[in-house]
Amino acid sequence: YQKLLFEGWIDPWLDDEKLLPGQKRDLEVTNAVESADAVLLFLSENSVNGEGAVQKEIKKILEVYEEKPESAMFLFPVRLDNCEIPKDLRQIQRVEDFDGSAYPKIKKALQYRFQNLPRKQN
């Protein structure tokens, strides 16, 4: 989050940083995913094998991803450990970040995405 924020051209959203006391978590996460230009999905043994909120968030991300054009780079899976990749994510190229060295690849992918965003008509 801090590295992305430091870039200056990225406005990252992370629940621990953006949610305020009293906000409805599910609603705010849904709004953030639906309004995002890109989503980094960090995968670990804990996240892919857990139950509850994380699985709900992954499902929401995949719903939004399915609404994007087939050629759009929107979802960027980042594998943090030797976890099994969920079936619905296997067709998407991921980056391995077991040792924390994947940031240059992540940044390059995000730069490509932002350079290729559809331009809004005035």
Side-chain angles (χ1 to χ4, degrees):
Y1 174 85
Q2 293 299 326
K3 283 183 180 180
L4 294 172
L5 189 61
F6 184 74
E7 291 293 329
W9 56 273
I10 300 173
D11 181 18
W13 193 95
L14 179 66
D15 55 359
D16 288 346
E17 297 291 333
K18 297 285 187 165
L19 287 177
L20 299 173
Q23 287 186 301
K24 293 184 178 180
R25 178 179 171 66
D26 288 348
L27 175 64
E28 295 303 322
V29 169
T30 295
N31 289 341
V33 170
E34 289 177 348
S35 65
D37 291 318
V39 172
L40 293 170
L41 179 57
F42 293 93
L43 303 169
S44 68
E45 288 284 341
N46 287 340
S47 68
V48 299
N49 293 324
E51 295 182 7
V54 174
Q55 295 303 319
K56 191 174 183 179
E57 289 172 12
I58 292 172
K59 285 181 182 175
K60 182 52 155 176
I61 291 166
L62 287 168
E63 283 176 24
V64 173
Y65 172 71
E66 290 299 320
E67 295 174 7
K68 302 292 180 186
E70 195 167 307
S71 63
M73 290 173 58
F74 170 76
L75 177 55
F76 303 91
V78 180
R79 197 163 80 140
L80 300 175
D81 59 28
N82 199 22
C83 64
E84 184 174 338
I85 303 300
K87 183 179 65 166
D88 294 337
L89 295 170
R90 291 181 189 153
Q91 81 278 6
I92 305 168
Q93 182 64 33
R94 68 183 177 273
V95 64
E96 309 285 332
D97 196 29
F98 296 5
D99 62 359
S101 65
Y103 185 74
K105 286 183 181 179
I106 293 168
K107 181 179 169 182
K108 185 176 182 178
L110 290 173
Q111 286 172 325
Y112 181 88
R113 170 64 174 155
F114 282 83
Q115 289 168 354
N116 291 283
L117 281 173
R119 303 292 176 226
K120 294 181 182 175
Q121 302 278 330
N122 287 337

